[in-house]
Amino acid sequence: MLEAYLNILVIFSLMFVGYVLSYRQWFSNHTADVFSKLVLNLALPFNMFLTITSNFSKEEFLNLFQGMIIPIMSMLLTMALSIGYRRVFHVKETRKGIFTTIFTCSNTIFIGLPINLAIFGEEAVPYVLLYYIINTTVFWTIGVYFIAFDDPRTKEATVTFHPLAVLKKVFSPALLGFLIGLVWMLLNIEIPAFLADFGTYLANLTTPLSMFIIGIIVYFHGVKNLKLNKDIIGVLLGRFVFSPLIVWGLGQWIPVPSLMLQVFIIQAAMPVQNSIPILARNYQADEEFAASSLGYSVLLYLLYIPFLLKLIYMV
């Protein structure tokens, strides 16, 4: 466990570098946007493509989807729990939707992927993506729908989502890279050496740039501006306690490989999604609450991870 924690500490040191370089004005909010585009549109797709083509056979991959039921059921149960929680503890009307979304959906790529790589290595990536598919689908459909209703003006009209816009969010370049790699692997096509080398250089950018992005976000939202209240405590309980425990409980009932369940638990216990403050602003929701929830969940994660590691090593 100590080795895994030290690996995670290295990953979070990259976040600290991003924070310091933002303080020194090397990085700006625009830099975070550029890095996000690089990761999501280039580095991560190649990472997914090379991982699935290099590490899995057809038979091994087909066995993956037996475990999809766990992330689906866990996220629906967590969402139902969040709705009950906000009623019992009287979450503010103007942040109920965003509360449910960030209580339920986690940061499965920018933090989830590097952390799982640090703990388990490349073997974890397909399981990471499997959870990511469900998490992304829920976030950009039901989650965004809830957020939109935090704006009082929205409640006077029906919120509609264009199917093509939703599909564009779900079928991101990362997922497309995975799907192309899947077809490539199923057809048993050999990867040309130049493509493998080119893709490897880009794929290796995923972890450092992802953690730089988190550091930039934390700096520009301002540590001093983070405001802790009972609703944020509820979010932290959802992210770090209820969500992983629900996954663990389902894993005792639904038989899946040990590594798959461990990755799902890690993914379920990730901090808040990066894009939450931007979505809050776009939908006239509580942006301050969104930014503070993101900030606290990221900053407290390093203290929380030893307890999470103890849980997964019990699986």
Side-chain angles (χ1 to χ4, degrees):
M1 188 176 80
L2 178 61
E3 183 179 354
Y5 186 75
L6 291 175
N7 288 337
I8 293 168
L9 190 60
V10 169
I11 298 299
F12 270 80
S13 296
L14 292 172
M15 183 188 77
F16 181 71
V17 171
Y19 184 94
V20 171
L21 294 182
S22 299
Y23 169 76
R24 294 178 64 86
Q25 299 184 355
W26 286 26
F27 293 159
S28 65
N29 267 321
H30 178 66
T31 307
D33 294 337
V34 173
F35 284 174
S36 295
K37 289 179 181 178
L38 280 172
V39 171
L40 293 175
N41 295 295
L42 282 175
L44 196 54
F46 274 103
N47 184 294
M48 297 300 178
F49 173 81
L50 292 174
T51 297
I52 195 64
T53 53
S54 302
N55 297 332
F56 282 85
S57 66
K58 178 180 178 180
E59 293 74 20
E60 288 172 331
F61 181 79
L62 292 177
N63 289 332
L64 280 178
F65 284 89
Q66 295 177 357
M68 187 173 279
I69 187 66
I70 289 182
I72 292 173
M73 289 185 64
S74 67
M75 295 193 74
L76 292 177
L77 289 171
T78 305
M79 184 172 288
L81 178 61
S82 75
I83 293 172
Y85 185 99
R86 72 189 196 188
R87 289 176 179 171
V88 172
F89 291 95
H90 306 291
V91 173
K92 278 189 177 181
E93 195 71 28
T94 54
R95 61 175 63 145
K96 281 185 175 180
I98 206 162
F99 177 89
T100 288
T101 300
I102 60 182
F103 190 103
T104 304
C105 300
S106 58
N107 193 323
T108 54
I109 289 295
F110 286 114
I111 298 183
L113 179 60
I115 294 299
N116 277 286
L117 284 171
I119 299 173
F120 304 115
E122 293 289 340
E123 292 182 5
V125 173
Y127 304 139
V128 170
L129 188 64
L130 196 60
Y131 194 96
Y132 160 77
I133 293 170
I134 305 303
N135 187 81
T136 302
T137 302
V138 171
F139 181 81
W140 289 107
T141 52
I142 304 172
V144 171
Y145 188 83
F146 274 126
I147 293 171
F149 268 90
D150 280 346
D151 182 357
R153 294 172 299 179
T154 305
K155 296 176 182 178
E156 300 174 3
T158 302
V159 180
T160 58
F161 294 96
H162 298 289
L164 289 178
V166 172
L167 286 174
K168 184 178 178 181
K169 293 293 186 181
V170 173
F171 287 94
S172 62
L175 182 55
L176 291 176
F178 177 82
L179 294 175
I180 293 170
L182 172 61
V183 173
W184 205 290
M185 179 264 295
L186 293 176
L187 295 177
N188 200 27
I189 302 172
E190 186 176 353
I191 304 175
F194 78 90
L195 178 61
D197 291 342
F198 176 77
T200 299
Y201 283 122
L202 287 174
N204 288 341
L205 294 173
T206 302
T207 296
L209 291 186
S210 295
M211 298 313 294
F212 282 173
I213 291 166
I214 301 298
I216 295 169
I217 289 173
V218 170
Y219 174 79
F220 281 101
H221 277 101
V223 175
K224 293 181 179 179
N225 294 327
L226 300 180
K227 296 181 179 180
L228 186 64
N229 54 52
K230 66 178 181 64
D231 294 344
I232 291 177
I233 292 173
V235 168
L236 296 175
L237 287 173
R239 290 284 76 249
F240 296 154
V241 179
F242 299 130
S243 185
L245 283 179
I246 288 173
V247 171
W248 177 82
L250 289 172
Q252 311 311 302
W253 175 50
I254 303 171
V256 294
S258 177
L259 178 60
M260 178 184 285
L261 180 58
Q262 289 175 324
V263 170
F264 286 170
I265 291 172
I266 293 287
Q267 287 289 72
M270 284 294 131
V272 170
Q273 284 258 16
N274 291 5
S275 53
I276 279 294
I278 299 171
L279 284 171
R281 184 183 307 170
N282 288 344
Y283 285 98
Q284 304 301 310
D286 192 332
E287 185 181 351
E288 182 183 281
F289 172 70
S292 293
S293 296
L294 171 62
Y296 273 111
S297 68
V298 170
L299 292 174
L300 292 176
Y301 191 74
L302 194 57
L303 299 175
Y304 162 74
I305 195 67
F307 301 100
L308 181 61
L309 289 175
K310 286 184 178 180
L311 176 62
I312 64 167
Y313 286 129
M314 291 169 56
V315 172

